[in-house]
């Protein structure tokens, strides 16, 4: 613990902004992680509940559940089901699902890009702190006695490098978290798209069955 405190104190003024960036980045990452975890679980549960209703052609119950589920899949399915009575074409229902997906994606990706941005800022802040430290070091040794210059320069460079090290210590985990969050977001988007395709297939089969029954009755 003493080593960490000493490392932080010797890094200079730039250590504080980097520490703030680390705290903000970690907070955003944790918030996004739990949000995506909840979103994935909620979407899966909603789809498992809605699928039997759709297969039984119970659109009214499916619509009521979708509206009350408070999930993106529920919202998208509700938009598709609401379009069914006035639409006779698969494309029109598909447009409603795509519109719902386009509304969901920004919410899923919200603040995730900030994590990568903060990681880049932390790296640049570390480099800037090192450069400023080296400038101060060379300025200090310029007026020092010849016998003290080597020691003073070595110590100053060591202190200046602390900011670069801390910047990288902050940036690397944040970049890994950003990559993980982006992967999880893409997985959720893909699962919503797959659920939409299954929805369309079920509705298309339903309409085909109704058309066939109407044709037989006409004969």
């Amino acid at each position: 613990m003493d080593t960490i405190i000493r490392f932080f104190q010797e890094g200079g003024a730039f250590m504080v902004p980097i520490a703030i960036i680390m705290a903000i980045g970690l907070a955003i990452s944790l918030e996004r992680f739990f949000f995506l975890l909840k979103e994935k679980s909620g979407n899966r549960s909603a789809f498992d509940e809605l699928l039997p209703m759709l297969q039984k052609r119970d659109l009214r119950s499916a619509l009521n559940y979708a509206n009350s589920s408070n999930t993106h899949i529920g919202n998208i399915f509700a938009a598709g089901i609401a379009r069914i009575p006035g639409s006779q074409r698969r494309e029109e229902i598909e447009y409603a699902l795509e519109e719902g997906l386009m509304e969901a994606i920004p919410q899923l990706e919200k603040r995730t890009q900030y994590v990568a941005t903060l990681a880049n800022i932390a790296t640049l802040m570390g480099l800037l702190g090192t450069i400023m430290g080296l400038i101060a070091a060379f300025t200090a040794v310029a007026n020092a006695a010849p016998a003290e210059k080597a020691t003073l320069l070595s110590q100053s460079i060591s202190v200046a490098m602390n900011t670069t090290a801390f910047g990288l210590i902050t940036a690397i985990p944040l970049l890994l978290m950003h990559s993980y969050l982006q992967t999880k977001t893409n997985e959720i988007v893909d699962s919503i798209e797959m659920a939409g395709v299954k929805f369309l297939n079920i509705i298309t089969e339903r309409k085909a069955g109704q058309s066939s029954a109407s044709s037989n009755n006409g004969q």
Side-chain angles (χ1 to χ4, degrees):
M1 190 66 181
D2 292 339
T3 303
I4 297 175
I5 295 174
R6 186 168 57 254
F7 171 81
F8 190 86
Q9 291 175 341
E10 291 177 352
F14 283 90
M15 300 292 276
V16 175
I18 296 173
I20 294 173
I21 290 171
M22 173 185 279
I24 295 173
L26 290 176
I28 294 174
S29 299
L30 290 174
E31 185 272 332
R32 288 287 89 192
F33 172 78
F34 288 113
F35 172 82
L36 294 176
L37 193 65
K38 180 181 178 181
E39 188 68 24
K40 182 177 180 179
S41 175
N43 284 337
R44 182 182 296 275
S45 176
F47 180 76
D48 290 341
E49 292 289 337
L50 285 167
L51 185 59
M53 299 179 192
L54 295 173
Q55 291 172 338
K56 294 176 182 177
R57 313 296 190 252
D58 189 0
L59 296 183
R60 178 172 296 180
S61 297
L63 181 59
N64 291 335
Y65 180 85
N67 285 326
S68 63
S69 67
N70 196 27
T71 61
H72 285 114
I73 277 187
N75 295 336
I76 292 171
F77 278 21
I81 294 171
R83 188 68 64 89
I84 292 173
S87 174
Q88 299 298 323
R89 295 197 310 165
R90 175 188 174 104
E91 290 78 8
E92 294 180 6
I93 302 173
E94 186 175 0
Y95 293 152
L97 297 178
E98 289 180 352
E99 182 179 352
L101 180 61
M102 291 176 65
E103 292 177 355
I105 289 177
Q107 297 179 31
L108 294 172
E109 294 180 341
K110 188 177 181 181
R111 288 189 292 275
T112 299
Q113 295 300 324
Y114 292 163
V115 179
T117 301
L118 290 171
N120 291 330
I121 293 174
T123 302
L124 294 175
M125 289 289 289
L127 292 174
L128 180 60
T130 297
I131 291 172
M132 296 300 293
L134 291 176
I135 292 173
F138 284 114
T139 301
V141 300
N143 300 321
E148 299 177 354
K149 285 186 178 182
T151 302
L152 183 59
L153 183 61
S154 176
Q155 292 175 348
S156 300
I157 291 175
S158 176
V159 170
M161 291 298 177
N162 286 359
T163 53
T164 297
F166 191 42
L168 294 176
I169 290 171
T170 299
I172 292 173
L174 291 181
L175 287 175
L176 292 174
M177 291 176 185
H178 173 263
S179 178
Y180 176 82
L181 293 173
Q182 197 66 51
T183 300
K184 289 300 178 183
T185 300
N186 292 337
E187 289 178 359
I188 293 174
V189 172
D190 290 342
S191 68
I192 294 176
E193 290 178 343
M194 180 60 68
V197 172
K198 291 182 179 180
F199 174 86
L200 285 172
N201 291 338
I202 293 172
I203 297 303
T204 301
E205 291 173 2
R206 172 179 177 272
K207 287 183 174 295
Q210 288 179 342
S211 299
S212 178
S214 299
S215 177
N216 291 336
N217 291 333
Q219 295 177 352

